């Protein structure tokens, strides 16, 4: 083997290892989704939260492997195993693994909004559709094989392509806005709103909620930094911007949320969601501001959603992922400008249009899928099942089985 071939082989191996480590970090984030939901729902629905997240992950893995990744990038894995390695040590395979972790975030996000009253299998089917078809279609238009179509439009109108480095819009906004139709079609939980009055339902476990937030926050550095895709493209700026945005979200939530632990731990996630899009082009102080604004949006947005609009979105995934994901896309068009210390190359018009396109795409898909499921197989538990809890109704066991031993 000549020296050039050896260098190429080492570079390919380094890229495979780099992206695989990122994939594992983002995979671990799904444990964060699980614990965040488990800590927020009541005890009688904790088992259901754990099983939903793991099942959705597994179904998404198959759907994205067979259908989604080929839709997004035009690469099929239905060839002999030897051909899968190619000349890059299987880089496309580990790239699929990494991007699967993004696709599987969609049903994980939705799960938190519809918790405690949704049927199990209809939601698994909806998650498969979103991870295997809906999300990959939008992904293909922004990052994938069809990007020239939509990105060409943005560039012709706004002067630059739509910039979403790590998925504020492609992943989080799409997931959050897909969740809104699900929550609206399902309706509120029993007893949440009675005769027009709000009756907040207490959460079950603050330590589990906090654990979920911490797991997500740590894994997020794989989500953002490893979005570079190759070792030579790794950016310390992305890492520090992610850190500053997270901290900005926490500090803003402490003030705006008046020390409420739920707001504080979700404030960290708000900052991380918002910074995904522009983490590679913003100044760290702009990232801090982006995260702080995102956190304030979540605190007041969650309260407005729950108390004024009377939308029973259990984990607040619409304001957290949907609205803040949209903010992240727009913020990249503001703070990415040289005027604010950014690296430039972005257009506010393109960022606004791209963020709006995701909202429209997700709402149409969400209402279509959940509307059809609601009118056919149904998507909500019966009153008796909901009262007993999803754990006993669906899984025939509670989170603490010894409590039922006499």
């Amino acid at each position: 083997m000549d020296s050039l071939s050896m260098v190429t082989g080492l570079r390919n191996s380094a890229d495979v290892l780099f992206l695989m480590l990122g994939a594992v970090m983002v995979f671990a984030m799904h444990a964060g989704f699980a614990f965040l939901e488990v800590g927020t729902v009541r005890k009688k629905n904790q088992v259901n939260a754990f099983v939903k997240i793991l099942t959705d992950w597994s179904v998404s893995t198959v759907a994205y492997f067979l259908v989604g990744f080929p839709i997004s990038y035009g690469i099929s894995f239905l060839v002999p195993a030897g051909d899968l390695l190619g000349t890059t040590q299987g880089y496309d395979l580990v790239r699929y693994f990494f991007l699967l972790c993004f696709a599987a975030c969609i049903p994980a996000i939705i799960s938190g909004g519809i918790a405690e009253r949704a049927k199990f299998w209809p939601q698994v089917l909806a998650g498969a559709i979103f991870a295997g078809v809906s999300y990959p279609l939008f992904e293909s238009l922004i990052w994938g094989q069809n990007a020239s179509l939509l990105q060409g439009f943005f560039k012709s109108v706004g002067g630059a392509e739509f910039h979403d480095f790590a998925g504020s819009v492609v992943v989080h906004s799409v997931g959050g806005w897909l969740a809104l139709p699900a929550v609206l079609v399902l309706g509120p939980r029993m007893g949440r709103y009675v005769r027009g009055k709000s009756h907040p339902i207490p959460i079950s476990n603050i330590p589990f909620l906090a654990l979920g937030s911490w797991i997500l926050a740590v894994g997020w550095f794989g989500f953002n930094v490893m979005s570079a895709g190759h070792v030579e493209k790794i950016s310390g700026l992305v890492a520090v911007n992610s850190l500053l945005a997270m901290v900005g979200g926490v500090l803003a939530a402490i003030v705006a949320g008046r020390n409420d632990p739920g707001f504080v731990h979700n404030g960290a996630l708000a900052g991380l969601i918002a910074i995904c899009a522009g983490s590679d082009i913003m100044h760290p102080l702009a990232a801090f501001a982006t995260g702080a604004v995102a956190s304030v949006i979540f605190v007041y947005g969650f309260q407005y959603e729950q108390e004024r609009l009377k939308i029973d979105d259990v984990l607040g995934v619409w304001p957290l992922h949907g609205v803040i994901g949209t903010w992240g896309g727009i913020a990249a068009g503001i703070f990415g400008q040289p005027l604010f210390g950014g690296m430039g190359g972005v257009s506010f018009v393109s960022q606004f249009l791209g963020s709006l396109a995701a909202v429209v795409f997700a709402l149409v898909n969400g209402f279509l899928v959940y509307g059809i499921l609601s009118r056919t197989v149904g998507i909500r538990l019966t009153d008796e099942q909901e009262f007993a809890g999803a754990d006993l109704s669906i899984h025939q066991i509670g989170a603490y089985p010894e409590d039922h031993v006499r």
Side-chain angles (χ1 to χ4, degrees):
M1 179 182 293
D2 59 39
S3 59
L4 179 59
S5 298
M6 183 177 296
V7 170
T8 301
L10 287 172
R11 180 181 297 161
N12 290 335
S13 298
D15 285 341
V16 169
L17 179 61
F18 173 72
L19 207 53
M20 189 276 289
L21 292 174
V24 171
M25 290 180 71
V26 185
F27 175 37
M29 290 174 66
H30 289 264
F33 281 119
F35 275 100
L36 195 70
E37 183 173 337
V38 168
T40 304
V41 300
R42 288 167 288 184
K43 288 183 179 180
K44 63 182 180 179
N45 298 296
Q46 290 181 330
V47 169
N48 181 245
F50 278 128
V51 176
K52 272 193 305 179
I53 297 296
L54 185 57
T55 303
D56 283 337
W57 164 266
S58 302
V59 171
S60 295
T61 298
V62 177
Y64 195 67
F65 183 88
L66 294 175
V67 183
F69 194 76
I71 288 175
S72 295
Y73 300 100
I75 298 172
S76 173
F77 298 123
L78 302 181
V79 297
D83 295 340
L84 294 176
L85 286 176
T87 60
T88 59
Q89 276 89 325
Y91 178 80
D92 283 336
L93 287 170
V94 79
R95 183 167 174 245
Y96 147 77
F97 182 12
F98 181 73
L99 292 171
L100 157 68
C101 298
F102 285 41
C105 285
I106 303 300
I109 290 168
I110 296 170
S111 177
I114 63 173
E116 301 201 301
R117 76 272 202 203
K119 287 184 176 180
F120 184 77
W121 287 111
Q123 175 52 28
V124 170
L125 175 58
I129 294 170
F130 294 141
V133 181
S134 299
Y135 169 81
L137 282 173
F138 193 74
E139 181 184 23
S140 75
L141 293 170
I142 303 299
W143 293 337
Q145 63 174 336
N146 299 314
S148 59
L149 300 176
L150 195 55
Q151 292 286 25
F153 169 74
F154 293 143
K155 188 171 184 178
S156 66
V157 174
E161 293 185 348
F162 176 69
H163 186 86
D164 191 8
F165 180 73
S168 288
V169 174
V170 175
V171 180
H172 296 284
S173 176
V174 168
W177 286 96
L178 279 171
L180 180 59
V183 173
L184 293 176
V185 172
L186 266 176
R189 290 167 290 176
M190 296 172 58
R192 179 64 181 88
Y193 302 104
V194 180
R195 298 186 184 90
K197 292 186 178 180
S198 173
H199 296 270
I201 297 175
I203 65 179
S204 63
N205 196 309
I206 292 293
F208 275 0
L209 184 156
L211 176 62
S213 176
W214 274 105
I215 294 172
L216 283 164
V218 172
W220 223 293
F221 289 88
F223 197 101
N224 285 1
V225 176
M226 270 68 164
S227 286
H230 299 273
V231 172
E232 71 260 21
K233 294 182 180 179
I234 193 170
S235 167
L237 182 64
V238 173
V240 172
N241 279 346
S242 301
L243 176 65
L244 266 292
M246 181 192 77
V247 170
V250 170
L251 296 179
I254 289 175
V255 177
R258 300 180 180 180
N259 296 326
D260 181 281
F263 284 136
V264 170
H265 287 91
N266 277 289
L269 306 183
L272 287 162
I273 289 167
I275 197 56
C276 288
S279 57
D280 62 325
I281 57 174
M282 287 188 193
H283 187 277
L285 292 179
F288 180 90
T290 298
V293 170
S295 189
V296 172
I297 290 173
F298 175 69
V299 171
Y300 292 106
F302 180 80
Q303 294 172 340
Y304 187 80
E305 175 194 36
Q306 301 283 326
E307 305 304 323
R308 297 293 296 276
L309 298 179
K310 292 183 172 56
I311 296 175
D312 188 18
D313 174 1
V314 180
L315 269 67
V317 298
W318 173 44
L320 182 62
H321 295 272
V323 178
I324 290 173
T326 301
W327 158 243
I330 295 172
I334 300 172
F335 294 115
Q337 303 291 346
L339 175 65
F340 297 101
M343 297 176 64
V346 289
S347 159
F348 174 81
V349 173
S350 296
Q351 294 304 117
F352 179 83
L353 291 176
S355 301
L356 180 62
V359 173
V360 174
F361 178 87
L363 287 177
V364 170
N365 275 265
F367 277 114
L368 181 64
V369 170
Y370 285 107
I372 292 174
L373 289 175
S374 178
R375 287 167 173 75
T376 53
V377 297
I379 59 174
R380 180 156 184 158
L381 297 174
T382 66
D383 288 351
E384 293 78 11
Q385 290 172 326
E386 185 178 342
F387 181 79
D391 291 359
L392 294 179
S393 298
I394 296 174
H395 310 286
Q396 290 78 54
I397 191 169
Y400 307 93
E402 64 181 311
D403 290 350
H404 303 288
V405 177
R406 295 290 185 265

